[in-house]
Amino acid sequence: PAGEPEVPKPIIKVVDMNNEDMEFALETCKKTYISLFKTELRYFQEVAEVIKKEFDKRQEAKGQLGTWHVVVGQHFGSFVTHEVKKMIHFTIGQVSFLIYKHG
């Protein structure tokens, strides 16, 4: 849309996710990245919360169980256990996103 900031191309670091879930993750995170850029969201914690709620809502609509975890920030390390085909780690600009399902 007009007036929207240009979003840098996501750089995928690690992915174990089907294409449908990956596209959902990338689109959801692009929207929150724009909200962060426009200061509609001010903290990475708020961004992570919005993304988690979107994943939970989508999962509930599909009648699936489990827990999604979302980490958003600029400097973090991770080592996580996740369900098969339910994890992605990527960056958009200087912001990193880690989304995975476990439990």
Side-chain angles (χ1 to χ4, degrees), residues 18 20-21 57-64 86:
N18 66 45
E20 180 187 342
D21 288 345
K57 184 168 52 173
R58 180 172 181 257
Q59 176 174 280
E60 190 176 301
K62 289 182 168 187
Q64 298 173 342
K86 299 293 181 188

Side-chain angles (χ1 to χ4, degrees), residues 31-54:
K31 289 177 192 171
T32 60
Y33 181 88
I34 290 169
S35 294
L36 190 61
F37 186 82
K38 293 173 145 184
T39 66
E40 295 167 353
L41 298 173
R42 301 188 70 185
Y43 303 104
F44 292 136
Q45 179 181 345
E46 293 174 310
V47 173
E49 184 179 348
V50 168
I51 295 166
K52 178 178 172 39
K53 285 180 179 177
E54 288 297 314

Side-chain angles (χ1 to χ4, degrees), residues 78-93:
S78 65
F79 184 82
V80 300
T81 301
H82 62 89
E83 295 180 21
V84 175
K85 296 290 184 191
K86 299 293 181 188
M87 192 277 280
I88 188 167
H89 178 210
F90 61 96
T91 61
I92 299 176

